Every structure is written in C-alpha cells, then in structure tokens.
Amino acid sequence: MRAGQQSLLETLLPRLALALPVEPAKIDLAQAFGGSLPPDGVWLEVGFGAGEHLVWQAEQNPGVGLIGCEPYLNGVAKCLAHIERAGVTNVRLFTDDARLLMAALPARSLSRAFVLFHDPWTKTRHHKRRFVRRENLDRLAELMLPGAELRLATDDPSYLPWMVEHAGTHPAFEWLAEGPADWRGRPADWPATRYEQKMLAGKPVFLRLRRR
C-alpha cells in the first residue's frame, strides 16, 4: 500500500467509518450523516471494490446518503482516494462483513441497495457463501422501504441462474425486467467499474428488483 493510501486510512477513514452500536441498539443514521437524515434517502452498496460506483453515485445523487461495505483494506484505501478527489461528503464506510452492518441498521431505512459482482463462489461446496441467498435477502427486505430498488450484477454464468432463482422468486421482491434487453443492457445511471473493464469472466448481466 502506498504512503498516500495509508495516510487516508489513518486520517480520512476515521471520519467516515460507521461503528456498530452495542446490541440491541441500532445505528442512528441521522447522526451518522451529520445530524439529519439525507433528504433523498440512504443507499447501501455491499462490496464496493475500489469504490468507483459508490463515489459516482454519491456525486450524481448529493441528496442521498451512501453506505459502502468492503472488508479489504486495499479497496477501502482506493475508495478513500476517490472520495477525496471527488470531494463528496455523503459517503460512509463499513470495513467489515456487510451482514454485521445489516443486522445493526434500523428496519425500513434503505431506499436502494446494490450487490455488484460479488464473489460467485463457483465451487458447489462454497455456494453457501454466496451473498445472494434467502437469509440475506430476507434481511434486505426488512431494511428496504416499499418501492426501493435492489440492483444485482454478475459476470459469472453459474451465478446468474442462482441469482435469478433466489432473488427473482423471493416474495418480497418484484423483478422489473419485462424482456431480455432489460437485464442485458446497462441502465444509464449504472457506471462501469475498473473490474468490468479488465476482469470480467463473461458478459455482465444487470438485474433490477423492487421491494413490494
């Protein structure tokens, strides 16, 4: 890790990091975002990688509070660099397992959630580690407001049918696709990341669901 990245971890991250409260208390999102809830709601991104998508959304949606979860410090450091360059103030970071944060968020607190190019855990014995599964979708359903959008993306051909099966049949979510073009094409407000440009294993698929 470069000296500049290490410096951001020591100086900027403490100002943006979300801490877990003592159970059974929930995170006070108004306090986390400077004393009042963001006027356009709170969005969650699970596994933000290097943070390009997270920071882009923060720039385009200044009235939204964005929470990004990422346990890998190299990715966190890169995200902090993006935040510093962009000058956005509406991002908060959680640098551990997203499920811990989700357990600490209050019900019906999210207006949108993203799970983009999560590790597909391709071996059958590892499928239980996939994020898109019933217990996590159940919790997201508790956290998301009615009408809130859940966005999923994968480039792994084995993960796609799994995601469609688990998310598309979940009773709390309605799949928004009306035809193949709706999940094969990228929405205008969904920017490409460095991972997509360099590391894709296959053609990316973009899934959008709505909380009923």
Side-chain angles (χ1 to χ4, degrees):
M1 190 175 297
R2 295 192 294 271
Q5 293 175 325
Q6 185 63 44
S7 177
L8 289 172
L9 290 174
E10 296 170 357
T11 58
L12 182 56
L13 180 59
R15 303 203 302 267
L16 304 181
L18 286 179
L20 296 178
V22 177
E23 294 184 5
K26 299 297 184 182
I27 292 173
D28 185 336
L29 289 174
Q31 182 180 17
F33 284 98
S36 60
L37 285 172
D40 296 333
V42 176
W43 297 358
L44 172 69
E45 182 167 349
V46 176
F48 58 71
E52 301 105 314
H53 175 271
L54 182 70
V55 176
W56 187 94
Q57 293 290 357
E59 288 183 286
Q60 302 301 313
N61 301 280
V64 171
L66 287 107
I67 300 173
C69 299
E70 179 60 62
Y72 297 106
L73 281 183
N74 280 338
V76 172
K78 291 176 181 177
C79 182
L80 290 170
H82 288 307
I83 290 172
E84 185 178 56
R85 284 194 296 270
V88 294
T89 60
N90 55 332
V91 176
R92 300 294 181 267
L93 303 180
F94 184 71
T95 59
D96 206 331
D97 191 322
R99 293 170 296 181
L100 299 174
L101 177 81
M102 288 163 55
L105 288 173
R108 297 199 171 193
S109 59
L110 299 179
S111 301
R112 185 171 293 185
F114 306 90
V115 184
L116 310 181
F117 302 101
H118 179 258
D119 192 330
W121 295 104
T122 53
K123 294 181 180 179
T124 301
R125 68 177 183 272
H126 292 157
H127 283 182
K128 61 185 178 182
R129 300 182 182 182
R130 289 175 164 175
F131 186 86
V132 180
R133 62 178 188 270
R134 184 57 184 257
E135 62 188 83
N136 291 335
L137 292 168
D138 286 346
R139 182 55 185 157
L140 281 173
E142 295 172 354
L143 294 176
M144 297 176 71
L145 290 161
E149 189 173 316
L150 173 61
R151 293 189 174 188
L152 310 174
T154 185
D155 60 316
D156 188 277
S158 70
Y159 202 9
L160 174 59
W162 172 285
M163 292 171 73
V164 171
E165 176 186 356
H166 285 75
T169 63
H170 193 286
F173 293 100
E174 174 187 11
W175 195 15
L176 296 178
E178 297 179 354
D182 293 329
W183 52 273
R184 291 175 180 166
R186 177 192 304 278
D189 61 347
W190 196 325
T193 64
R194 183 179 304 178
Y195 173 83
E196 291 182 66
Q197 295 166 355
K198 296 185 177 181
M199 301 295 291
L200 287 181
K203 186 174 178 59
V205 174
F206 309 95
L207 306 179
R208 298 170 60 229
L209 302 101
R210 181 168 53 215
R211 178 69 170 92
R212 295 183 188 275

